[in-house]
């Protein structure tokens, strides 16, 4: 991808989209308690079609809980969630959601290619006519062309997480939910991974909800960042990231990027003090 | 010495040393023949009619393989339910422990009266003794499946049989292989005793029982050694199979 930044056009598109495109994900006063523990205070926000929204907050603030609620892996204590107009469980059943957990969760007995194909195989057994995405091409695109037949233990942490990304993208689900997928990686690999994720996700227009506590990750990948306070987590600020698309690695060396990270850091600190 | 050479030479040296000590102990302490025969006598007896012992060993192998296959199949079915439901697990566990700790030899007569003489009683006894061990292995292995992978499959609404087939069963393989090693010893002992008690005329246990009745120490000890060799062969087979099927597992990587 190359060419001049298209910021005005991109910004206008996002604004226009928010006016005319119905929200993919709607949360209304969603809260969650685990026994006596208030994990999440009532949260209300929307994610528009094709938007990448990051949940940014300190450890234990309920980001993952919120993501799991959207995925239908937990049930809210109060409030309602709609995913494409359905309940999260229905959306899951209709194969609307791709989920990327914190660990790559590769099955050690399957090769890289078989792991990347896992969710696709499951979907196909449920609906044999569902289309087959090109796992091979995706693996090549993420730089794993020489590792199709390798086993997960033969890969580095970053390579394993790439397989996890391919596995999720191969599903071709309209919504991707990502739970700190790069948390266990070293800083260099982590940087590479966010660039790779941007490269994969942007052209597809997938709706992404991304959980992280990394400010550069949130800045680089997001259209909007929902900053969360410490437990019980609530959204303290909803910040639109005014950076042009497509986002390329060079963006991280610009003043604009630096200003956004500073703004997010301040919002995060303010949220923790509240 | 290279590790690959050492792995072959060391066990051979150990076994030869053990046989020499055994031979010498029988000679030096003048042990009565029925209590313990020297290995040279056992080798002589075996070499006189190897076909006879081989044919009977094959029958014992069939009893062990069929009985253990029944036990493993049932253990996978029961274990799957136990791993999927805490209630089923807690309800089933005491029964399995009861089966495991009760002296199974005591059941043989009742089983023969129930199922009749011959193969069915022997298959049942082999399956009965190895079933609890296999089940505990299956449950432990299935429950050790990566929680993140379980969550991942849940996120695409995978059906229970798919979770079982694609995740839980492969996750249980390492512990199934571990328990198979114990189960072989139990199954072989059950087959040997049951053959001697199930009014059958074939199998190492039946010959051993007959030899004991007629004071034929050579034959008795030859069946014991044959049974031990079967055990070693069984364990070797499990190890080879484990090496092939679990090449991805940390235990099989150097």
């Amino acid at each position: 991808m190359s060419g001049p930044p298209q910021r005005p056009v991109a910004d206008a598109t996002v604004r226009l989209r928010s006016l005319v495109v119905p929200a993919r994900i709607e949360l209304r006063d969603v809260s969650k308690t685990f026994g006596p523990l208030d994990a999440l205070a009532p949260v209300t926000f929307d994610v528009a079609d094709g938007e990448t929204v990051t949940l940014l907050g300190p450890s234990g603030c309920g980001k993952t809980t919120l993501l799991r609620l959207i995925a239908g892996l937990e049930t809210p204590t109060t409030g309602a969630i709609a995913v494409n107009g359905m309940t999260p469980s229905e959306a899951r059943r209709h194969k609307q959601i791709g989920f990327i957990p914190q660990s790559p969760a590769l099955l050690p007995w399957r090769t890289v290619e078989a792991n990347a194909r896992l969710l696709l195989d499951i979907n196909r057994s449920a609906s044999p006519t569902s289309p087959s995405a090109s796992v091979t091409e995706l693996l090549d695109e993420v730089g794993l062309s020489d590792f199709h037949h390798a086993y997960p233990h033969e890969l580095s942490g970053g390579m394993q997480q790439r397989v996890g990304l391919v596995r999720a993208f191969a599903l071709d689900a309209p919504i991707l939910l990502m739970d700190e997928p790069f948390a266990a990686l070293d800083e260099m690999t982590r940087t590479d991974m966010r660039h790779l994720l941007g490269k994969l996700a942007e052209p597809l227009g997938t709706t992404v909800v991304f959980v992280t506590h990394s400010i550069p990750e949130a800045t680089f990948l997001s259209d909007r960042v929902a900053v969360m306070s410490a437990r019980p987590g609530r959204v303290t600020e909803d910040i639109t990231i005014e950076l042009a698309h497509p986002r390329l690695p060079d963006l991280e060396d610009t003043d604009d990027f630096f200003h956004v990270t500073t703004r997010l850091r301040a919002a995060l600190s303010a949220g923790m003090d509240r | 010495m290279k590790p690959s050479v050492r792995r072959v030479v060391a066990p051979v040296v150990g076994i030869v040393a053990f046989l020499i000590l055994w031979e010498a102990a029988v000679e030096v302490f003048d042990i009565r023949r029925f209590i313990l025969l020297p290995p040279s006598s056992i080798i002589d007896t075996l070499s006189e009619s190897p076909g006879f012992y081989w044919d009977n060993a094959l029958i014992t192998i069939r009893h062990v393989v069929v009985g253990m296959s029944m036990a493993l199949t049932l253990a996978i079915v029961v274990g799957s339910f136990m791993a999927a439901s805490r209630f089923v697990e807690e309800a089933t566990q005491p029964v399995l422990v009861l089966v495991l700790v009760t002296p199974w030899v005591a059941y043989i007569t009742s089983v023969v009266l129930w199922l009749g003489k011959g193969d069915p009683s022997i298959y049942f006894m082999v399956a009965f003794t190895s079933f609890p061990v296999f089940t505990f292995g299956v449950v432990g292995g299935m429950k050790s499946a990566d929680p993140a992978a379980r969550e991942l499959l849940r996120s695409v609404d995978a059906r229970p049989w798919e979770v079982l087939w694609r995740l839980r069963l492969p996750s249980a393989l390492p512990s199934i292989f571990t328990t198979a090693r114990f189960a072989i010893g139990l199954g072989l002992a059950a087959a040997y005793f049951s053959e001697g008690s199930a009014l059958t005329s074939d199998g190492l246990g039946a010959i051993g029982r007959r030899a004991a009745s007629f004071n034929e120490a050579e034959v008795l000890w030859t069946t014991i050694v044959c049974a031990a060799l079967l055990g070693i062969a069984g364990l070797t087979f499990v190890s080879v199979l484990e090496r092939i099927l679990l090449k991805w597992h940390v235990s099989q990587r150097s």
Side-chain angles (χ1 to χ4, degrees):
Chain A
M1 266 177 280
S2 61
Q6 300 155 11
R7 183 169 167 171
V9 176
D11 291 349
T13 308
V14 168
R15 282 195 206 99
L16 195 62
R17 196 186 270 156
S18 67
L19 291 173
V20 298
V21 179
R24 278 276 189 194
I25 302 167
E26 292 171 78
L27 291 95
R28 296 288 174 268
D29 296 319
V30 173
S31 72
K32 181 70 184 174
T33 56
F34 294 102
L37 184 81
D38 281 339
L40 197 67
V43 167
T44 295
F45 77 88
D46 293 345
V47 181
D49 191 21
E51 201 175 25
T52 297
V53 173
T54 292
L55 304 175
L56 179 71
S59 292
C61 75
K63 307 183 292 285
T64 295
T65 303
L66 188 51
L67 194 80
R68 289 168 54 79
L69 287 166
I70 298 170
L73 299 172
E74 299 281 357
T75 317
T77 307
T78 64
I81 303 173
V83 179
N84 268 353
M86 295 174 258
T87 65
S89 301
E90 285 169 346
R92 238 176 40 204
R93 271 197 294 280
H94 285 87
K95 315 298 176 194
Q96 298 288 301
I97 294 174
F99 184 75
I100 300 184
Q102 213 169 83
S103 80
L106 302 182
L107 304 184
W109 53 89
R110 292 176 78 108
T111 61
V112 162
E113 194 172 322
N115 262 293
R117 213 178 280 285
L118 174 68
L119 303 183
L120 215 52
D121 288 346
I122 289 172
N123 274 2
R124 201 166 300 132
S125 72
S127 158
T129 53
S130 68
S132 163
S134 177
V135 167
T136 316
E137 280 172 26
L138 277 170
L139 284 172
D140 293 348
E141 199 174 339
V142 301
L144 292 173
S145 46
D146 294 333
F147 294 89
H148 288 210
H149 303 294
Y151 283 88
H153 70 265
E154 295 167 319
L155 307 181
S156 68
M159 290 159 101
Q160 290 185 16
Q161 202 53 270
R162 283 171 201 223
V163 181
L165 286 183
V166 170
R167 184 181 54 199
F169 277 96
L171 261 185
D172 207 18
I175 295 166
L176 271 186
L177 305 177
M178 311 176 88
D179 183 12
E180 296 193 61
F182 312 138
L185 303 178
D186 64 84
E187 197 50 45
M188 288 275 283
T189 314
R190 200 169 174 153
T191 307
D192 287 346
M193 290 302 293
R194 68 169 166 265
H195 296 159
L196 177 66
L197 175 58
K199 184 178 144 193
L200 289 174
E202 259 191 46
L204 298 174
T206 312
T207 306
V208 179
V209 181
F210 188 82
V211 164
T212 187
H213 50 245
S214 159
I215 291 171
E217 245 164 52
T219 309
F220 186 82
L221 293 169
S222 318
D223 296 310
R224 269 169 54 216
V225 175
V227 181
M228 294 181 68
S229 66
R231 203 178 65 224
R234 62 205 155 80
V235 177
T236 52
E237 277 197 68
D238 190 339
I239 299 170
T240 301
I241 305 298
E242 307 275 357
L243 292 172
H245 287 276
R247 292 184 187 161
L248 303 174
D250 293 350
L251 177 72
E252 298 196 17
D253 301 324
T254 63
D255 287 345
D256 286 350
F257 190 86
F258 177 73
H259 291 315
V260 175
T261 56
T262 309
R263 164 101 176 82
L264 289 179
R265 191 167 290 113
L268 196 55
S269 301
M272 287 171 78
D273 293 341
R274 281 182 206 181
Chain B
M1 194 182 291
K2 282 183 185 170
S4 56
V5 177
R6 192 191 60 223
R7 273 198 291 272
V8 176
V9 170
V12 172
V13 169
I15 288 169
V16 169
F18 173 71
L19 292 176
I20 291 170
L21 277 174
W22 178 358
E23 184 85 29
V26 172
E27 202 63 36
V28 170
F29 297 111
D30 196 21
I31 297 172
R32 282 187 295 150
R33 294 180 69 77
F34 202 81
I35 295 173
L36 184 63
L37 273 184
S40 55
S41 295
I42 295 169
I43 292 167
D44 283 346
T45 309
L46 192 57
S47 56
E48 275 169 19
S49 47
F52 171 71
Y53 289 101
W54 174 245
D55 289 345
N56 282 284
L58 284 178
I59 291 165
T60 303
I61 290 172
R62 173 165 51 82
H63 288 151
V64 172
V65 169
V66 172
M68 285 182 65
S69 303
M70 286 162 57
L72 181 58
T73 308
L74 193 61
I76 289 172
V77 174
V78 174
S80 304
F81 284 108
M82 288 174 73
S85 158
R86 197 89 182 154
F87 181 85
V88 175
E89 185 189 3
E90 284 170 3
T92 315
Q93 219 158 30
V95 181
L96 287 175
V97 171
L98 204 68
V99 173
L100 189 67
V101 299
T102 310
W104 52 267
V105 178
Y107 292 131
I108 292 182
T109 309
S110 300
V111 171
V112 173
L113 286 173
W114 172 37
L115 294 173
K117 63 177 186 175
D119 288 348
S121 298
I122 300 167
Y123 293 146
F124 179 86
M125 286 309 298
V126 173
F128 187 73
T129 50
S130 48
F131 169 66
V133 182
F134 270 134
T135 309
F136 283 124
V138 168
V139 174
M142 285 189 174
K143 289 178 78 173
S144 72
D146 181 4
R150 287 205 306 248
E151 192 120 278
L152 187 75
L153 296 198
R154 249 187 94 199
S155 77
V156 289
D157 222 41
R159 286 173 287 189
W161 70 265
E162 277 191 303
V163 178
L164 176 70
W165 178 246
R166 294 184 194 276
L167 177 65
R168 285 191 184 271
L169 204 51
S171 300
L173 279 180
S175 64
I176 290 177
F177 274 108
T178 304
T179 48
R181 291 187 166 84
F182 292 100
I184 281 176
L186 286 169
L188 198 56
Y192 190 91
F193 274 100
S194 305
E195 285 168 352
S197 313
L199 305 174
T200 176
S201 53
D202 301 317
L204 294 173
I207 306 167
R209 174 74 168 243
R210 231 173 17 245
S213 304
F214 291 103
N215 284 347
E216 294 170 343
E218 285 82 1
V219 177
L220 172 65
W221 272 96
T222 306
T223 62
I224 294 171
V225 169
C226 284
L229 291 174
L230 284 190
I232 293 170
L235 289 180
T236 309
F237 174 72
V238 168
S239 296
V240 170
L241 202 62
E242 187 180 28
R243 200 139 194 90
I244 295 167
L245 293 180
L246 295 189
K247 60 185 174 192
W248 48 270
H249 192 252
V250 67
S251 65
Q252 303 302 314
R253 302 200 297 265
S254 53

